[in-house]
């Protein structure tokens, strides 16, 4: 599970690109502090946070193992 969360954070960072956390927070409805702590690996996202970010960023973020 830890590897999945690490990959999620990498996928999230890639999806954010050079946009600000404020912009992503506005688009997703997820507090920018929550996004920051998930990116830093200090917290694991809950399902609602994951879904909001995937919808806002228009891409899957949770890794699917075995499809690498």
């Amino acid at each position: 599970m830890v590897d999945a969360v690490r990959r999620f954070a990498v996928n999230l960072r890639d999806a954010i690109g050079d946009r600000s956390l404020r912009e992503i927070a506005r688009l997703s409805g997820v507090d920018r502090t929550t996004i920051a702590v998930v990116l830093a690996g200090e917290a694991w996202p809950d399902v609602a946070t994951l879904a909001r970010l995937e919808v806002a960023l228009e891409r899957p973020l949770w890794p699917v193992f075995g499809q690498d």
Side-chain angles (χ1 to χ4, degrees):
M1 182 62 114
V2 173
D3 191 42
V5 176
R6 183 191 60 77
R7 287 189 187 188
F8 170 79
V10 169
N11 292 344
L12 178 58
R13 187 172 309 285
D14 289 346
I16 290 172
D18 56 357
R19 293 180 280 185
S20 72
L21 294 186
R22 285 187 193 274
E23 179 183 353
I24 302 307
R26 184 183 53 76
L27 290 171
S28 66
V30 175
D31 184 79
R32 67 184 171 89
T33 304
T34 299
I35 298 169
V37 296
V38 168
L39 285 171
E42 297 171 2
W44 291 17
D46 62 17
V47 174
T49 299
L50 170 67
R52 287 181 180 134
L53 289 168
E54 286 187 336
V55 169
L57 294 167
E58 299 179 338
R59 70 165 78 175
L61 299 171
W62 193 257
V64 177
F65 293 92
Q67 293 186 1
D68 296 339

